[in-house]
Amino acid sequence: MGEDRRLAAVVALAQGMAAAHGSREAWRAAAAGACRALGGSFAALSVWERELGRLRVLVNVGELAEGEEEFPEDEAYPVHQFAEITEFLHEQWAGGGEPDAWVETAEGPAAGRPGYCHQRVAALRRRGRGCCVVAPIVLHGRAWGELYVARPAGEAVFGRGDADFATVLASVVAAGLAQTERLEEVRRLAFTDSLTGLANRRAVDVRLEQAIERHRRDDVVVSLVVCDLNGLKRVNDTHGHAAGDRLLERFGSVLSLCGAMLPGALAARLGGDEFCLLAVGPPADQVVKAANELCRRAAELELGDGVACGVASTEDPIGPVRSARRLFRLADAAQYRAKAERAARPVVAGRAGPDDPVVRLADEPSREAGGERRRFRGRHAP
């Protein structure tokens, strides 16, 4: 491959990783880009999990052999079977050397170091591959894992030039992985409440819109539990804001625990003393049961005065739910009624008969025009 083509391959790999949305897409783009650049038929990206002492395969691309999966759940190899991970992939650059790639064939080593690795050679033979090039990946100054590209038996064996090019590709992959990590952290912070570690209002808005779209399309049950933690101001005024923060954190843990009763539920802090659970799929009665448990546990907290809890579910008689906004208004109105009544149990929209006051409150014109309290703050108790 000429220099221009190699440069174009490097640029394409970098662009593919930059365009990825999330880690999995970035892993796939890295492996696929390296496979194309080196003229391979198969490529894999693996990470060294130090705490488990293993090399775990993140992604396989190209011509997969029997038993190989694109994103394997449990394909991992003990690090002691690949000594270059702990020896070559550390000692070489720790002593000032470069983490160069090397080539191995189904017959043994071909170019570069660290030398013969019988497990890798056996794997080549078992999967019908004739050779591979292995390039260590260094991230943040530490051995992160390796890039592996193979060719079928009978095709040209990788040479020294290919190994050198693989070293360059591995450095591009490392830069892409670092960028992905930064973007993942930015995304995490954008959708996470910093005090409790729960999701934030932005995350709820996104997930609720997606859930309502599924409800409209597939009639999936969508339920929302909205909570208002009672007594936070009194705790702040009496014991200080540090105590108030501890109460918020403790209730966040209780919310997460109760949310675990509902497969896939999203536990979130909306802001201040307001929290919610979003459940997609579980029946309404199961959601109400989790909300009851939440109220019980909140009442047992050392600080605070329990929680006011409202539930709205598309499975209950609340009328058509065509927007996320309406389901939120219903749950919000149910929670507001629970607070006004000092209810020890959740109030559930639609379960008080045909003229349910919660549904009426949620749908009255002033709420439609003025919005729920959480968005517009201008409305007080009915």
Side-chain angles (χ1 to χ4, degrees), residues 101-104 109-113 158-160 163:
W102 66 91
V103 175
E104 291 182 6
R113 292 182 291 175
F158 289 116
R160 180 67 260 174

Side-chain angles (χ1 to χ4, degrees), residues 105-128:
T105 74
E107 306 304 320
R113 292 182 291 175
Y116 185 85
C117 176
H118 70 274
Q119 288 89 357
R120 220 185 284 276
V121 170
L124 285 171
R125 294 171 181 168
R126 185 170 65 251
R127 292 164 179 162

Side-chain angles (χ1 to χ4, degrees), residues 187-207 252 255-256 265-271 274-278:
R187 292 189 188 107
R188 187 190 67 80
L189 292 174
F191 291 97
T192 303
D193 176 63
S194 59
L195 177 64
T196 63
L198 300 175
N200 62 14
R201 176 62 190 255
R202 184 182 293 110
V204 174
D205 286 342
V206 171
R207 288 279 290 274
L255 184 69
S256 179
L266 179 73
R269 182 186 177 204
L270 300 173
E274 297 168 332
F275 294 77
C276 82
L277 280 175
L278 171 61

Side-chain angles (χ1 to χ4, degrees), residues 120-372:
R120 220 185 284 276
V121 170
L124 285 171
R125 294 171 181 168
R126 185 170 65 251
R127 292 164 179 162
R129 294 168 184 146
C131 64
C132 66
V133 59
V134 184
I137 295 173
V138 183
L139 193 61
H140 308 311
R142 301 178 67 189
W144 182 89
E146 67 175 37
L147 177 66
Y148 174 102
V149 180
R151 287 175 178 166
E155 289 199 5
V157 173
F158 289 116
R160 180 67 260 174
D162 294 311
D164 290 341
F165 185 40
T167 299
V168 174
L169 293 174
S171 67
V172 175
V173 169
L177 290 170
Q179 176 68 9
T180 299
E181 283 188 358
R182 287 191 291 270
L183 290 175
E184 289 286 344
E185 179 64 10
V186 169
R187 292 189 188 107
R188 187 190 67 80
L189 292 174
F191 291 97
T192 303
D193 176 63
S194 59
L195 177 64
T196 63
L198 300 175
N200 62 14
R201 176 62 190 255
R202 184 182 293 110
V204 174
D205 286 342
V206 171
R207 288 279 290 274
L208 186 56
E209 289 286 353
Q210 295 169 344
I212 294 300
E213 177 59 33
R214 286 187 60 194
H215 170 68
R216 289 196 298 258
R217 186 180 66 244
D218 304 321
D219 202 29
V220 173
V221 177
V222 180
S223 304
L224 192 64
V225 181
V226 173
C227 314
D228 194 287
L229 188 58
N230 296 325
L232 178 62
K233 183 178 186 304
R234 179 183 58 78
V235 171
N236 283 331
D237 292 344
T238 305
H239 302 285
H241 286 274
D245 286 350
R246 288 198 302 273
L247 173 58
L248 290 168
E249 289 178 285
R250 183 72 186 94
F251 180 73
S253 298
V254 170
L255 184 69
S256 179
L257 177 68
C258 294
M261 299 169 61
L262 306 168
L266 179 73
R269 182 186 177 204
L270 300 173
D273 55 4
E274 297 168 332
F275 294 77
C276 82
L277 280 175
L278 171 61
V280 183
D285 284 346
Q286 189 177 342
V287 176
V288 174
K289 182 179 178 181
N292 269 309
E293 180 66 9
L294 178 63
C295 290
R296 186 187 69 79
R297 289 178 176 270
E300 295 175 352
L301 292 176
E302 182 180 356
L303 296 173
D305 299 315
V307 66
C309 188
V311 182
S313 176
T314 59
E315 195 176 45
D316 282 322
I318 56 176
V321 178
R322 298 187 178 91
S323 70
R325 187 181 181 87
R326 181 165 189 266
L327 191 66
F328 218 124
R329 286 200 312 270
L330 285 158
D332 185 53
Q335 178 275 131
Y336 211 46
R337 187 169 184 84
K339 197 172 189 72
E341 296 177 352
R342 300 184 180 276
R345 298 167 64 85
V347 170
V348 185
R351 294 195 177 185
D355 192 31
D356 190 312
V358 168
V359 177
R360 191 172 66 250
L361 172 64
D363 290 340
E364 68 181 20
S366 61
R367 288 184 71 84
E368 185 69 49
E372 60 267 37

Side-chain angles (χ1 to χ4, degrees), residues 11-23 25-31 33 45 169-170 172-180 183:
V11 171
L13 189 158
Q15 289 176 336
M17 293 191 72
H21 296 284
S23 296
E25 284 190 22
W27 300 338
R28 185 197 289 119
L45 187 68
L169 293 174
V172 175
V173 169
L177 290 170
Q179 176 68 9
T180 299
L183 290 175

